[in-house]
Amino acid sequence: AGLAVSQIAVLIAGLYISFDASWRLTLCIFGVIPAIVLPVAVQAKVVGRYAERANASLVRAASVASETLLQLRTIAAFGLEARAVDAFTAELSLPYKQDVLKGVALGVGSGTAAGTILFAAAFQYVVGALFFDADLISFSDIMSCLLVLIFMAFGFATVSRDVSDRAEAMQAARRVYKLVSTLSAIDALAGTGAVPPSGRAAGRIEFVEVSFAYPARRDVQVYQGLSLTIEPGATVALAGPSGCGKSTLVALLERWYDVDG
């Protein structure tokens, strides 16, 4: 916010001084300003797109690392360490490529803006010389307009350096807002739903052909046609290797998730 306010102040003061020195030369310079702003706007758009792709891949890489650490004993038992490392490395290759492309976009955008600023200064000298020969402007007014252009251009250059960080911050804020504003499919405070006729649960638990996959990993089925019946008063032990679905069964009973079928 502080940077934007300072650049607006520089722009207003610069336009006042420039128009006061020579409105003709200032109007001619206005034709070059869009060519300075356009590379900055395109740079912000490109950087934002690259940042979005890189962040999505980083989230998948973090998911791979988290699952690997949680199921480390199972992975070690089956000798899958190299496979887990390869999966993590594959997910990190895309952010690396996107960062390289982002650097290229920053360089091209900033370089184009800087080159356009120099071209505008040269253009102002040419037009100013024509106006000077026609006795429409003095040399001091030409230099006043030129210095104003340079200071405003420095402001645009500062904004262009800030654009990439702002684009990534806006992308992160968009993901956070999407996360906090997403409504859960399970409303624990809702007064609707099936209620036991007696007002008290009998204690019988039954799974009939249950299918389930975690929302974050829809391609990995945890249960495929699971059927299980636990009678009231029975003591049941869930046994099996890590990752077989013991904790998932408890999570479904507590309705942290809904079954898929």
Side-chain angles (χ1 to χ4, degrees), residues 3-241:
L3 179 62
V5 172
S6 65
Q7 296 310 317
I8 291 175
V10 170
L11 178 63
I12 294 175
L15 290 177
Y16 174 79
I17 296 173
S18 184
F19 271 106
D20 182 67
S22 174
W23 62 269
R24 296 181 180 88
L25 186 57
T26 303
L27 290 179
C28 292
I29 296 303
F30 264 125
V32 186
I33 291 180
I36 301 175
V37 177
L38 183 60
V40 177
V42 174
Q43 170 188 320
K45 188 70 175 179
V46 173
V47 168
R49 186 170 70 249
Y50 287 152
E52 181 178 0
R53 295 175 182 173
N55 288 329
S57 186
L58 285 175
V59 169
R60 292 194 297 269
S63 177
V64 171
S66 177
E67 291 180 2
T68 300
L69 293 175
L70 287 175
Q71 309 298 335
L72 188 58
R73 287 186 298 176
T74 303
I75 291 175
F78 288 95
L80 299 176
E81 295 93 337
R83 183 176 178 182
V85 171
D86 291 340
F88 184 72
T89 304
E91 293 295 345
L92 289 181
S93 62
L94 181 60
Y96 172 75
K97 295 178 181 177
Q98 298 299 329
D99 283 341
V100 172
L101 293 175
K102 185 176 70 175
V104 173
L106 287 173
V108 172
S110 302
T112 303
T116 307
I117 292 171
L118 296 178
F119 169 78
F123 176 73
Q124 184 173 359
Y125 271 121
V126 173
V127 176
L130 295 176
F131 286 167
F132 183 80
D133 288 340
D135 201 20
L136 296 175
I137 189 174
S138 65
F139 180 76
S140 61
D141 290 337
I142 295 176
M143 295 306 300
S144 297
C145 292
L146 178 62
L147 291 176
V148 166
L149 172 65
I150 291 175
F151 278 110
M152 287 193 299
F154 283 152
F156 282 123
T158 304
V159 171
S160 67
R161 288 193 295 269
D162 185 58
V163 157
S164 60
D165 295 335
R166 182 170 300 180
E168 294 185 12
M170 290 178 63
Q171 186 65 36
R174 193 178 296 113
R175 294 198 309 274
V176 172
Y177 176 77
K178 182 180 179 181
L179 177 64
V180 300
S181 62
T182 300
L183 297 178
S184 174
I186 301 174
D187 188 359
L189 302 179
T192 59
V195 179
S198 62
R200 183 173 180 175
R204 188 172 187 269
I205 300 173
E206 185 175 8
F207 287 79
V208 180
E209 296 293 327
V210 169
S211 299
F212 177 73
Y214 283 101
R217 296 290 300 275
R218 286 297 183 186
D219 56 327
V220 179
Q221 283 291 126
V222 181
Y223 295 139
Q224 293 181 343
L226 172 67
S227 295
L228 173 66
T229 301
I230 303 176
E231 298 295 340
T235 300
V236 177
L238 303 176

